[in-house]
Amino acid sequence: MNCYNIVLNYIDIIENDEPIFIEDVKKHVATFYNGKDLTKVFNNVKAVLNRLKKEKKIAQAEKGIYYKPTMTIWGRETVPPFHKIRRYKYIIDKDGNMKGYVTGAKLFNLMGLTTQVPRNMDIATNACPNNNKYEIDKYNVVIRKPKIKVTNDNYMYLQLLDILANNDRIHVEVENEEEILYNYIEEYKLNFEKLLKYARETNNKKALNKLWILAR
């Protein structure tokens, strides 16, 4: 099977308006060329994707990211699925590996601690290149680097520690904050010793102090 057909078959099984990352396409194609020099193969992948774009089988959301648009009843193609791209780029990859988590005012809103609805979603993500914050308008996000690498095992702990520290000084509008936090810990079966461990690893003194209060 040639490269064009391999890529086309891969894309055919992907649902419309689902992000198609060139790195995922390359990973799939590589399984057909075991042990071979993949430099030329990957160049062919780029050429195939450009051809498929010209054939209007796919559209390009941005560099390295494509999707199969749906035609609306108005005869227009759907816009790029930026909300899905945001999730895969910054929060979880397509293999289910966590690499980030929602934090800031959006997290407080999701937890029911505030009615504040921010314009941008704050995300702590391994994908942030350095310790600066970056506002990315097309995704309506502000990304920052987490204190420690985000994993499937620790992301819910890190979220809770961010709430306890509340470094963004978000106004909590409810009187049962402790009850909400207890319920979060119970619902997701978070281990208190692990909470302390991650609080120490991230040097989160505010969270440590609140954890001792919650433990009483």
Side-chain angles (χ1 to χ4, degrees):
M1 190 182 296
N2 63 33
C3 189
Y4 177 87
N5 288 327
I6 294 170
V7 174
L8 184 60
N9 289 345
Y10 174 81
I11 286 172
D12 277 345
I13 63 173
I14 295 175
E15 294 181 4
N16 284 19
D17 302 308
E18 189 70 17
I20 302 166
F21 292 83
I22 190 171
E23 295 307 318
D24 291 335
V25 179
K26 287 178 179 178
K27 194 187 302 182
H28 174 75
V29 171
T31 62
F32 290 80
Y33 294 89
N34 249 342
K36 293 187 179 180
D37 180 9
L38 295 175
T39 305
K40 186 177 178 181
V41 174
F42 289 162
N43 286 335
N44 287 341
V45 168
K46 290 180 184 177
V48 168
L49 290 171
N50 282 330
R51 177 179 165 184
L52 292 173
K53 189 171 70 168
K54 287 176 183 176
E55 293 171 353
K56 298 193 179 299
K57 289 184 170 64
I58 58 174
Q60 188 164 11
E62 61 177 79
K63 185 178 179 181
I65 305 175
Y66 303 84
Y67 68 105
K68 295 190 300 185
T70 302
M71 194 63 70
T72 69
I73 58 172
W74 310 109
R76 297 175 182 172
E77 290 183 350
T78 47
V79 299
F82 285 129
H83 64 293
K84 291 182 179 179
I85 295 172
R86 175 179 67 193
R87 177 172 170 78
Y88 290 130
K89 280 189 80 164
Y90 303 122
I91 297 177
I92 184 171
D93 67 23
K94 289 194 173 186
D95 293 322
N97 300 308
M98 296 299 300
K99 54 184 171 182
Y101 61 88
V102 177
T103 186
K106 181 65 175 178
L107 176 60
F108 276 69
N109 178 270
L110 291 171
M111 291 280 289
L113 296 168
T114 180
T115 57
Q116 185 180 338
V117 182
R119 185 180 77 86
N120 285 335
M121 178 188 293
D122 287 283
I123 299 176
T125 174
N126 302 335
C128 189
N130 52 47
N131 291 323
N132 296 323
K133 281 189 175 183
Y134 294 91
E135 187 172 336
I136 304 166
D137 287 334
K138 67 181 170 185
Y139 297 137
N140 291 120
V141 297
V142 176
I143 64 169
R144 65 170 175 81
K145 205 166 190 68
K147 294 287 180 65
I148 59 175
K149 183 179 179 181
V150 178
T151 67
N152 288 25
D153 184 60
N154 70 16
Y155 77 97
M156 300 197 80
Y157 290 91
L158 298 179
Q159 274 189 320
L160 181 59
L161 293 175
D162 281 1
I163 288 173
L164 293 172
N166 194 5
N167 288 327
D168 297 314
R169 298 180 182 177
I170 297 156
H171 175 59
V172 175
E173 300 174 25
V174 296
E175 294 181 359
N176 64 331
E177 178 184 5
E178 286 191 7
E179 181 185 346
I180 289 172
L181 297 178
Y182 276 125
N183 289 341
Y184 180 93
I185 292 169
E186 288 293 317
E187 182 179 355
Y188 296 105
K189 297 178 173 58
L190 301 189
N191 180 282
F192 189 74
E193 293 301 320
K194 279 190 175 182
L195 273 170
L196 292 174
K197 170 180 173 288
Y198 289 128
R200 292 189 184 105
E201 282 185 20
T202 56
N203 197 28
N204 196 332
K205 293 177 182 177
K206 290 182 184 177
L208 273 171
N209 291 336
K210 284 196 176 180
L211 282 171
W212 289 123
I213 292 170
L214 285 172
R216 289 174 187 170

